[in-house]
Amino acid sequence: MAGTAGTFQYSLLLMFLLFSFSQAKEILVGGNKDAWKVPSSQSDSLNEWAEKSRFRMGDSLVWKYESGKDSVLQVTREAYLSCNTSSPIDEYKDGNTKVTLDRSGPFYFISGTNGHCEKGQKMIVVVLSPRHRYTGISPAPSPAEFEGPAVAPTSSATSLKSCFIVVLGILLLALF
């Protein structure tokens, strides 16, 4: 009987580990609450931050900004390139915007405040596909494809997590 209780505990531990690795995250845009603004320099661009970050399907981006003085527009690639605010896909004005990344590929965001996009207050986020695996070689999308930040190489942490899960699964099977 003690073996059954131990097996049950190991099963619960394995399920907890699997869910903790696949859990979606809320990501504060730019890493701080004052990031959604006209950048003071090119190196202060949110695209610099987005290029260094990893976004997965199910993650949510969170913007903090002063309601009534700014907004976040999700736009098409063409609207992003031309800073066209007239027909956004979605418009957010509440000062505490949360957008769930529900598909892989690029997402385009610009400020809805007149003139801010032209001054660099815009961002492209590239969401990794669920099947994305680290291969040691990271083919960057061509500039003609996104005309935004390239997808940076992923860390080997994903591979390590997968290996860890496989080892745990083998251990669990050995207990049965």
Side-chain angles (χ1 to χ4, degrees):
M1 194 65 147
T4 305
T7 302
F8 178 72
Q9 289 173 343
Y10 287 120
S11 297
L12 284 177
L13 175 64
L14 181 62
M15 285 184 358
F16 171 76
L17 289 171
L18 287 173
F19 286 120
S20 67
F21 287 136
S22 63
Q23 192 172 29
K25 298 176 187 149
E26 283 192 8
I27 303 165
L28 185 61
V29 169
N32 65 64
K33 64 179 182 164
D34 298 321
W36 190 242
K37 62 182 180 184
V38 173
S40 58
S41 68
Q42 185 64 20
S43 65
D44 192 25
S45 160
L46 286 175
N47 279 330
E48 293 257 331
W49 169 81
E51 287 175 6
K52 297 173 186 170
S53 302
R54 296 289 167 267
F55 305 99
R56 300 199 184 278
M57 286 178 47
D59 287 349
S60 296
L61 295 177
V62 178
W63 283 261
K64 303 281 185 181
Y65 54 93
E66 193 171 341
S67 178
K69 292 196 175 186
D70 209 340
S71 63
V72 176
L73 304 181
Q74 183 178 347
V75 296
T76 64
R77 176 180 173 269
E78 293 75 22
Y80 174 89
L81 294 172
S82 64
C83 289
N84 182 345
T85 61
S86 65
S87 301
I89 295 168
D90 277 310
E91 180 175 15
Y92 308 94
K93 299 179 178 184
D94 62 0
N96 187 26
T97 297
K98 181 177 174 182
V99 175
T100 301
L101 304 171
D102 58 359
R103 60 174 171 76
S104 61
F107 285 76
Y108 302 91
F109 300 98
I110 63 174
S111 170
T113 301
N114 192 25
H116 283 206
C117 177
E118 291 82 359
K119 294 177 183 174
Q121 189 178 351
K122 58 186 186 173
M123 176 178 70
I124 300 173
V125 169
V126 179
V127 178
L128 300 173
S129 72
R131 294 178 300 227
H132 182 82
R133 289 256 195 270
Y134 179 68
T135 61
I137 301 171
S138 179
S142 71
E145 185 178 352
F146 296 129
E147 293 195 25
V151 177
T154 60
S155 73
S156 60
T158 302
S159 296
L160 288 174
K161 287 178 190 174
S162 298
C163 182
F164 182 69
I165 290 170
V166 168
V167 169
L168 281 176
I170 292 169
L171 289 174
L172 185 59
L173 289 173
L175 292 174
F176 285 109

